[in-house]
Amino acid sequence: MFDAKIFGQRLFLLRKQLGKTQADIAKLLGVTPTQVSDMEGGKTGTTMPRLYLLCDYFNVSADYLLGRTDAP
């Protein structure tokens, strides 16, 4: 089952590791910084196309972002 909290935590950590802002990620995804904040806070998930963009941008698997594995 999808856990928005794990997704959000991992998104937050990956973003911080690269020194990016929520605005940077929002621009990548075509959303607002508030929407990125909601994702990081575990309030919401994202769409498949945006998940693909995040995986490509951070060079991690979807399984990692979704909490199915601990190996990026």
Side-chain angles (χ1 to χ4, degrees):
M1 174 176 257
F2 174 69
D3 187 336
K5 186 174 180 179
I6 291 173
F7 171 75
Q9 290 170 342
R10 291 188 174 179
L11 176 58
F12 173 81
L13 291 173
L14 289 167
R15 179 176 65 78
K16 287 296 187 177
Q17 286 174 357
L18 290 183
K20 300 297 180 180
T21 65
Q22 289 179 341
D24 294 329
I25 303 305
K27 185 175 181 180
L28 169 75
L29 300 178
V31 300
T32 66
T34 300
Q35 288 172 287
V36 174
S37 177
D38 287 348
M39 284 186 254
E40 289 183 352
K43 294 180 184 177
T44 187
T46 191
T47 64
M48 291 297 290
R50 289 181 182 135
L51 178 63
Y52 179 87
L53 287 172
L54 289 169
C55 291
D56 192 49
Y57 184 77
F58 291 117
N59 194 32
V60 297
S61 70
D63 282 345
Y64 175 74
L65 273 176
L66 297 174
R68 295 175 43 96
T69 183
D70 290 330

